Amino acid sequence: MKMFKGISLLLTLIVFVEAQNDQSGFISIDCGIPRGSTYSDRYTDINYVSDADFIDSGEIHTILQEYEPAPDKQLTTLTSFPENHRNCYTLRPTKGKGYKYLIRARFMYGNYDLKGRLPEFDVYLGPDYWDTLKLNSSATPVNMEIIHMSLSDYIHVCLLNTGRGTPFISAIELRLLGSNMYTQTDFGSLYVYKYADFGDSSGKMRFKPDQYDRLWSPTNLPNTILLNTSNKISSQLSRIALPPSRVMSTAITPADPTDLDTLNIEWNERNHGDKFFVFLHFAELETLPRNQKREFNIYLNGNLFSGPFSPVFQLTNTFSSTKPELVAPTYTLTINKTTNSTLPPIINAMELYTLKQLTQNQTYDQDAVVLWSIKSTYNISTKNWQGDPCIPQEFVWDGIGCNHDDKSFTRITFLNLSTSGLNGEIASGIANLTMIDTLDLSNNNLSGTVPNFLSELSFLKVLNLKGNRLIGPVPEALLTKSNQGSLLLSFDDEIRGDAASSCESNTCKNKNNKKVIVPALATVAVIVMISTVFIAVWIFKKQNARGTGLHIRKQQYTYSEIQRITNNFNDVIGKGGFGIVYRGHIGDTQVAVKMLSESSNQGEKEFQAEANVLLNVHHKNLTSFVGYCNEEKQKGIIYEYMANGNLERHLFDRSSTILDWEKRLQIGCDAAHGLEYLHHGCKPPIIHRDIKCANILLNEKFQAKLADFGLSRVFPIECGTHISTVVAGTPGYIDPNYCTSHTLTEKNDVYSFGVVLLVIITGKPTAIRYEDEYIHISEWVSLKVSEGNMKNIVDPRILEDYDINSAWKAVEVAMECVADTPNRRPTMNKVLMDLKDCLETERARKGTEPGNLSGRVSLNLEGVYDPNPR
Ligand SMILES: *[C@@H]1O[C@H](CO)[C@@H](O)[C@H](O)[C@H]1NC(C)=O
Ligand SMILES: *[C@@H]1O[C@H](CO)[C@@H](O)[C@H](O)[C@H]1NC(C)=O
Ligand SMILES: *[C@@H]1O[C@H](CO)[C@@H](O)[C@H](O)[C@H]1NC(C)=O
Ligand SMILES: *[C@@H]1O[C@H](CO)[C@@H](O)[C@H](O)[C@H]1NC(C)=O
Ligand SMILES: *[C@@H]1O[C@H](CO)[C@@H](O)[C@H](O)[C@H]1NC(C)=O
Ligand SMILES: *[C@@H]1O[C@H](CO)[C@@H](O)[C@H](O)[C@H]1NC(C)=O
Ligand SMILES: *[C@@H]1O[C@H](CO)[C@@H](O)[C@H](O)[C@H]1NC(C)=O
Ligand SMILES: *[C@@H]1O[C@H](CO)[C@@H](O)[C@H](O)[C@H]1NC(C)=O
Ligand SMILES: *[C@@H]1O[C@H](CO)[C@@H](O)[C@H](O)[C@H]1NC(C)=O
């Protein structure tokens, strides 16, 4: 076997490692001593500090007197964690990441809680399971030690309550190791199994003799005798961290007169499948006469590990595994004298480790650094901000959202510190949260200026600074982003600065004329109203409204202008729960104006930003916002006039003309196109969130446009109640997945769109009576599909005047959209393409289009390109 590291006797490089008191790479924490206290251990001279600065939680305790004195002073006190499922210590070694550390957690129960019940709990190193703490007795301390290459500047030791007693800890020690030591960490971390100091009768050996503070335990085997020397054992200048001279100066050798030839050392695996690394250290302690020779071979479980080898006088040689040893339940190390040897074998010291794969990657370090600095800047101690911010996912910090897509770099994308009692300026570290998309700092006591770096966060989509004592002005770059619609920006009016307004009328200003109440439009309630605006019925004469062809530059109107536009509100064309819709004209373009009946003072900035988004999204299949008015008492929205009202009316109102199959497909294509644009043409994507037939409006040419888009970020869907409060009678469009997961994705829209398609195809409501109960339209269709007769599915009012393949295809697309698993639903690109195929097939049948010439381009309905190409 070639498992040994060569012995190179570079005698010229012999150095003596003196005992020294260099603790620069140490963190030594005695848990449970009062905050701020420190002491120097009288045996080791190691300086211990209180754990209070490394963790926010915990109760301090002392072991019962009957267990004193503890083997080490650090074991006398402890910190226990009756609160919280998980509690983490955070160590920040000065050298930071990329170095190897020996990390040791120590536990001694000492019946501190008088319960006399040994607790059992899990210990984690960062996000990774390290081991389960199992104690044998109140008096026996347990150490968990690991050699770990840290990939983060932060090392977390976490205790998890697993319901079998309150976690506690007595001490935590971290030691910086040389970067060339223990190259076996290339395979993973090394979980310490044993540091055996053979032949020592003088007790535990650690710092200072061992500059790395390994805990060597005196180990003696039956049928052996001890050898020792008072001379110093030197070590080669070695890549391996050799045991200190005090450990090497003792050894064992066989004593049994019947077998002087063999030393046997045995151990068992700790957990099934453990992979061991073995380090063996030898030095000759006796001066051998000329005619004597000590030579031996070393076998591990019968396989040659190393040899033949003769230990060198007072010089340490080490053999170590260069890769994990073969797995076995028990291990026997046999050291056999060779035939030429006149003396029995010896061994001085041994290190055993098991491989521990710590596979979870922590949060991207730069992001973690920012959060830790925020935590300390604002003295945040009441939140569950412990351990790694993002990992494991069940312990993500409160108010933080993470993107786990890239397994090697988990990034922070969301930070909500709303109402967290923050004092002081906006932390400059936020500049380093480069992937953040939502930052909510509202309702704190933040002061100082609004920093410019906020505008350099290129993924920032939502920024809320409201309810602070910040000083304006808001950086121009932020306002620009907000006006361009890429940022939903909220702040207090007072700090807007003078970058403001194009307001033309005095009614736009408040009485003392200081503050300009600018574009800010309405309230969250207002937004709710908008949904109803579009649902309100438009039954009106055709005019020269031309959809996106509206050439109206101005977007902000005063109340008096609105009065003119609507001819003093004399033509009521609809009424919703939140206000009245009037017909009006801007020039000779017809518009619809919704005046909001009551306005609250909340959400103005949110809506302002949202209105800016909407004003900037243009697509032929999306209704256009024309403008708005926002005055103290009078708020209104102006939007494109849609002569034929909403799709629902045309499907269900028996008095309206029946939409034929081709028109239905065309409306489906139009709506799909609008939605596809929101999902794939807008950056960031806009999730509509409220796709339903009532939100599909038709203009005078029956071109369909989606209404009410872009509002999802302003007010949340309330599952169960939203539909019934806002729009009575149209349940069934919301993805049931959304209601359980509460995460909004494009696939939620796809589901709703699928329901729309089913309604269009069947002409039925979303809940259909079937036998004795109401079932969802998707269930109903799938029942009918299994009957195999398209006649039973398609709206009978179409009178079977449709291409059967086109109909099957449309049903298939719709059913894909409503798949239970969001991942299995198609994207809107795919839906749009499939629907265009359906339309093409139908048109080929009717001869309205040269079907065989195919080419999707010819189907671009009006032959116009999107006004805003992607
Ligand atoms: C606990 O006791 C068992 C059996 O007595 C022993 O095998 C084991 O090594 C002990 N564990 C510790 C951590 O002392
Ligand atoms: C070395 O051996 C001698 C005799 O066996 C013993 O008295 C002494 O205590 C030993 N020293 C150590 C450090 O074990
Ligand atoms: C070591 O020596 C003992 C006794 O001499 C022998 O029984 C055993 O087989 C040897 N082991 C190996 C691995 O050679
Ligand atoms: C024993 O020693 C002799 C002479 O030094 C040498 O020739 C022989 O190869 C050695 N045998 C072994 C097994 O090492
Ligand atoms: C931080 O908060 C803790 C408790 O909430 C308090 O004891 C401590 O004084 C605060 N420190 C600072 C610097 O505000
Ligand atoms: C950690 O990152 C590495 C790549 O750096 C990746 O291969 C591994 O899967 C990640 N681990 C986990 C648990 O995601
Ligand atoms: C932030 O949290 C508060 C409640 O603590 C909540 O009202 C607010 O909507 C959250 N902000 C964002 C952007 O999610
Ligand atoms: C941002 O990160 C860089 C490198 O990680 C660091 O040098 C800089 O100090 C950080 N900036 C702030 C404001 O924390
Ligand atoms: C807010 O900050 C100011 C100083 O900037 C301080 O005087 C005041 O006490 C703080 N208010 C609260 C509630 O912390």
Side-chain angles (χ1 to χ4, degrees):
M1 294 224 103
K2 16 182 189 356
M3 271 195 185
F4 68 92
K5 268 206 147 91
I7 328 151
S8 47
L9 298 178
L10 302 171
L11 291 169
T12 49
L13 288 177
I14 287 173
V15 292
F16 292 89
V17 178
E18 298 292 336
Q20 43 187 268
N21 192 0
D22 176 8
Q23 296 181 31
S24 58
F26 285 19
I27 296 176
S28 310
I29 302 170
D30 183 350
C31 303
I33 61 174
R35 176 186 290 273
S37 56
T38 65
Y39 66 89
S40 173
D41 185 87
R42 58 186 283 212
Y43 295 106
T44 62
D45 282 348
I46 293 172
N47 301 314
Y48 284 88
V49 299
S50 154
D51 59 339
D53 290 336
F54 298 87
I55 196 160
D56 296 326
S57 46
E59 294 177 356
I60 66 179
H61 291 280
T62 308
I63 58 170
L64 290 195
Q65 209 146 22
E66 62 191 280
Y67 299 103
E68 291 198 61
D72 284 305
K73 177 169 159 56
Q74 298 77 57
L75 302 174
T76 311
T77 57
L78 57 92
T79 300
S80 76
F81 301 95
E83 311 262 343
N84 303 344
H85 183 189
R86 182 181 77 148
N87 293 276
C88 295
Y89 283 87
T90 297
L91 313 183
R92 206 175 171 193
T94 46
K95 284 273 192 184
K97 62 183 157 209
Y99 287 86
K100 270 170 225 165
Y101 298 96
L102 172 63
I103 302 159
R104 178 160 55 227
R106 309 193 69 189
F107 309 87
M108 176 167 164
Y109 173 56
N111 198 15
Y112 74 89
D113 56 1
L114 295 167
K115 287 186 181 154
R117 256 206 327 268
L118 301 171
E120 195 177 305
F121 51 89
D122 287 351
V123 182
Y124 277 68
L125 190 61
D128 290 288
Y129 173 73
W130 182 356
D131 205 350
T132 298
L133 181 84
K134 292 181 178 149
L135 296 153
N136 265 5
S137 78
S138 291
T140 318
V142 172
N143 299 330
M144 281 187 198
E145 295 178 84
I146 198 163
I147 291 175
H148 176 56
M149 159 74 96
S150 183
L151 297 176
S152 165
D153 288 339
Y154 298 90
I155 296 174
H156 309 285
V157 175
C158 301
L159 309 179
L160 249 82
N161 191 327
T162 50
R164 284 163 297 162
T166 302
F168 75 91
I169 190 164
S170 308
I172 301 176
E173 295 162 339
L174 174 142
R175 313 295 180 226
L176 173 68
L177 302 178
S179 47
N180 290 329
M181 294 165 53
Y182 298 111
T183 51
Q184 288 80 355
T185 53
D186 290 350
F187 293 91
S189 301
L190 304 179
Y191 188 5
V192 177
Y193 183 90
K194 179 117 182 148
Y195 289 121
D197 175 8
F198 294 110
D200 199 322
S201 52
S202 65
K204 270 205 174 122
M205 190 77 64
R206 57 184 292 187
F207 195 76
K208 280 179 287 196
D210 188 335
Q211 61 167 322
Y212 300 108
D213 192 30
R214 288 164 289 189
L215 297 188
W216 296 94
S217 21
T219 308
N220 296 305
L221 301 178
N223 302 327
T224 61
I225 52 168
L226 317 186
L227 300 177
N228 73 27
T229 178
S230 52
N231 291 330
K232 193 152 225 141
I233 308 297
S234 42
S235 48
Q236 293 158 243
L237 184 62
S238 167
R239 295 180 151 234
I240 310 161
L242 296 181
S245 172
R246 291 262 303 273
V247 169
M248 291 305 294
S249 64
T250 60
I252 53 171
T253 189
D256 186 349
T258 62
D259 186 7
L260 282 175
D261 298 345
T262 304
L263 264 177
N264 278 314
I265 301 169
E266 291 175 5
W267 69 91
N268 299 321
E269 63 180 4
R270 175 162 36 199
N271 295 302
H272 180 65
D274 272 350
K275 293 176 175 164
F276 274 90
F277 285 96
V278 179
F279 292 68
L280 305 174
H281 306 282
F282 302 95
E284 182 58 78
L285 302 182
E286 296 177 329
T287 321
L288 304 188
R290 273 266 157 78
N291 58 347
Q292 298 286 342
K293 181 169 188 172
R294 194 193 306 277
E295 188 184 67
F296 46 80
N297 286 305
I298 306 161
Y299 300 88
L300 183 62
N301 283 352
N303 298 316
L304 184 65
F305 185 79
S306 192
F309 166 72
S310 286
V312 180
F313 184 58
Q314 291 183 0
L315 179 70
T316 300
N317 277 293
T318 296
F319 302 96
S320 63
S321 315
T322 52
K323 59 176 203 251
E325 299 298 339
L326 291 174
V327 172
T330 62
Y331 293 82
T332 306
L333 189 75
T334 309
I335 307 180
N336 266 14
K337 175 171 124 29
T338 62
T339 47
N340 276 359
S341 181
T342 60
L343 295 169
I346 61 167
I347 185 166
N348 306 59
M350 175 170 81
E351 296 169 61
L352 294 177
Y353 299 92
T354 57
L355 183 64
K356 190 90 201 169
Q357 297 287 4
L358 304 181
T359 53
Q360 300 278 334
N361 304 306
Q362 293 185 206
T363 301
Y364 186 64
D365 235 43
Q366 182 176 301
D367 288 357
V369 168
V370 175
L371 287 203
W372 285 98
S373 78
I374 287 175
K375 179 173 159 149
S376 82
T377 306
Y378 297 124
N379 195 19
I380 295 171
S381 56
T382 51
K383 296 182 189 280
N384 72 337
W385 283 27
Q386 296 208 9
D388 187 85
C390 296
I391 299 167
Q393 294 190 32
E394 66 259 44
F395 294 113
V396 170
W397 290 6
D398 287 342
I400 284 171
C402 308
N403 181 339
H404 295 276
D405 293 350
D406 181 344
K407 291 284 173 234
S408 38
F409 293 114
T410 296
R411 300 298 306 263
I412 290 166
T413 55
F414 176 99
L415 178 58
N416 186 352
L417 286 170
S418 173
T419 326
S420 299
L422 311 186
N423 277 300
E425 305 203 337
I426 294 181
S428 62
I430 289 172
N432 271 353
L433 290 179
T434 52
M435 293 302 284
I436 193 139
D437 65 34
T438 302
L439 178 61
D440 189 342
L441 298 173
S442 60
N443 302 317
N444 285 298
N445 190 26
L446 293 169
S447 50
T449 56
V450 180
N452 207 35
F453 65 70
L454 293 173
S455 60
E456 278 148 30
L457 296 167
S458 41
F459 295 97
L460 196 62
K461 287 184 246 166
V462 179
L463 174 61
N464 191 346
L465 302 173
K466 265 184 108 72
N468 284 295
R469 305 183 311 117
L470 296 163
I471 304 162
V474 175
E476 195 59 42
L478 279 178
L479 293 172
T480 307
K481 278 192 178 189
S482 165
N483 290 333
Q484 286 166 349
S486 62
L487 177 68
L488 179 53
L489 175 65
S490 319
F491 52 85
D492 299 311
D493 278 343
E494 291 82 350
I495 64 170
R496 167 167 287 275
D498 54 3
S501 121
S502 56
C503 218
E504 288 164 2
S505 137
N506 278 339
T507 56
C508 263
K509 305 195 172 166
N510 70 3
K511 290 190 182 80
N512 58 21
N513 255 355
K514 267 194 197 149
K515 290 193 267 178
V516 186
I517 303 174
V518 201
L521 171 57
T523 65
V524 169
V526 167
I527 301 154
V528 177
M529 297 173 206
I530 302 172
S531 22
T532 57
V533 164
F534 292 110
I535 296 146
V537 196
W538 284 256
I539 317 166
F540 310 101
K541 308 151 229 165
K542 297 179 187 180
Q543 278 269 353
N544 54 350
R546 279 287 175 267
T548 52
L550 288 170
H551 296 295
I552 304 166
R553 286 256 163 262
K554 192 171 155 171
Q555 293 170 339
Q556 216 182 305
Y557 294 84
T558 62
Y559 183 65
S560 51
E561 284 171 322
I562 296 287
Q563 279 178 312
R564 276 202 304 280
I565 288 168
T566 58
N567 194 12
N568 211 13
F569 307 106
N570 82 340
D571 191 357
V572 175
I573 58 176
K575 211 173 222 176
F578 300 95
I580 298 171
V581 187
Y582 304 90
R583 187 151 54 91
H585 292 88
I586 296 178
D588 44 8
T589 303
Q590 193 158 207
V591 295
V593 177
K594 171 119 187 174
M595 292 311 290
L596 307 167
S597 42
E598 190 60 51
S599 35
S600 91
N601 290 321
Q602 294 166 348
E604 297 196 0
K605 290 296 186 304
E606 287 84 348
F607 186 70
Q608 166 65 31
E610 207 51 55
N612 282 330
V613 172
L614 303 181
L615 284 164
N616 283 291
V617 174
H618 303 288
H619 187 273
K620 64 184 161 63
N621 297 119
L622 299 173
T623 51
S624 303
F625 264 57
V626 177
Y628 52 85
C629 173
N630 177 33
E631 294 183 6
E632 241 166 340
K633 289 272 182 317
Q634 310 288 355
K635 297 179 182 359
I637 305 158
I638 308 169
Y639 46 88
E640 180 180 5
Y641 179 81
M642 296 291 282
N644 275 309
N646 75 48
L647 172 61
E648 195 152 77
R649 182 164 66 83
H650 293 277
L651 291 173
F652 299 115
D653 185 341
R654 298 285 144 175
S655 68
S656 76
T657 49
I658 292 146
L659 295 172
D660 67 15
W661 183 242
E662 181 188 350
K663 267 213 181 72
R664 289 179 195 226
L665 287 176
Q666 183 174 327
I667 289 168
C669 279
D670 285 351
H673 209 174
L675 189 54
E676 190 254 0
Y677 182 75
L678 291 175
H679 286 184
H680 306 295
C682 294
K683 262 189 183 166
I686 295 175
I687 296 171
H688 188 294
R689 196 230 56 174
D690 201 13
I691 295 284
K692 57 192 172 194
C693 290
N695 271 338
I696 295 172
L697 304 187
L698 303 170
N699 71 5
E700 72 288 349
K701 294 186 297 184
F702 277 90
Q703 183 187 1
K705 302 187 179 207
L706 293 182
D708 211 6
F709 53 91
L711 302 176
S712 58
R713 290 184 294 179
V714 182
F715 61 109
I717 313 177
E718 285 172 42
C719 283
T721 62
H722 169 255
I723 292 256
S724 50
T725 54
V726 176
V727 190
T730 56
Y733 289 95
I734 290 186
D735 181 1
N737 264 293
Y738 170 76
C739 295
T740 49
S741 76
H742 286 277
T743 42
L744 199 55
T745 74
E746 285 94 330
K747 291 296 168 75
N748 301 125
D749 278 352
V750 173
Y751 177 91
S752 306
F753 186 80
V755 178
V756 165
L757 275 184
L758 291 175
V759 172
I760 292 177
I761 293 165
T762 60
K764 292 202 172 353
T766 56
I768 299 173
R769 199 171 175 85
Y770 184 79
E771 291 173 354
D772 271 344
E773 53 178 349
Y774 279 94
I775 61 174
H776 189 257
I777 189 167
S778 60
E779 283 176 70
W780 184 85
V781 171
S782 76
L783 286 169
K784 295 291 158 183
V785 165
S786 63
E787 291 170 10
N789 192 345
M790 189 46 68
K791 217 164 88 177
N792 298 337
I793 300 176
V794 176
D795 191 345
R797 294 194 293 164
I798 297 178
L799 301 172
E800 293 178 51
D801 182 16
Y802 53 83
D803 179 88
I804 186 79
N805 293 321
S806 160
W808 275 116
K809 176 83 182 168
V811 168
E812 189 187 318
V813 173
M815 291 307 283
E816 278 170 13
C817 292
V818 297
D820 288 338
T821 323
N823 286 341
R824 289 184 22 231
R825 298 175 194 155
T827 62
M828 284 312 296
N829 297 117
K830 171 83 166 50
V831 172
L832 178 59
M833 265 161 50
D834 288 348
L835 286 179
K836 281 180 174 178
D837 280 344
C838 295
L839 184 56
E840 191 176 357
T841 311
E842 171 66 4
R843 284 186 173 165
R845 181 186 69 97
K846 288 171 79 178
T848 42
E849 280 263 329
N852 290 338
L853 294 181
S854 183
R856 298 207 160 85
V857 178
S858 66
L859 283 171
N860 200 336
L861 301 176
E862 303 88 54
V864 285
Y865 292 103
D866 293 347
N868 266 10
R870 290 152 208 190

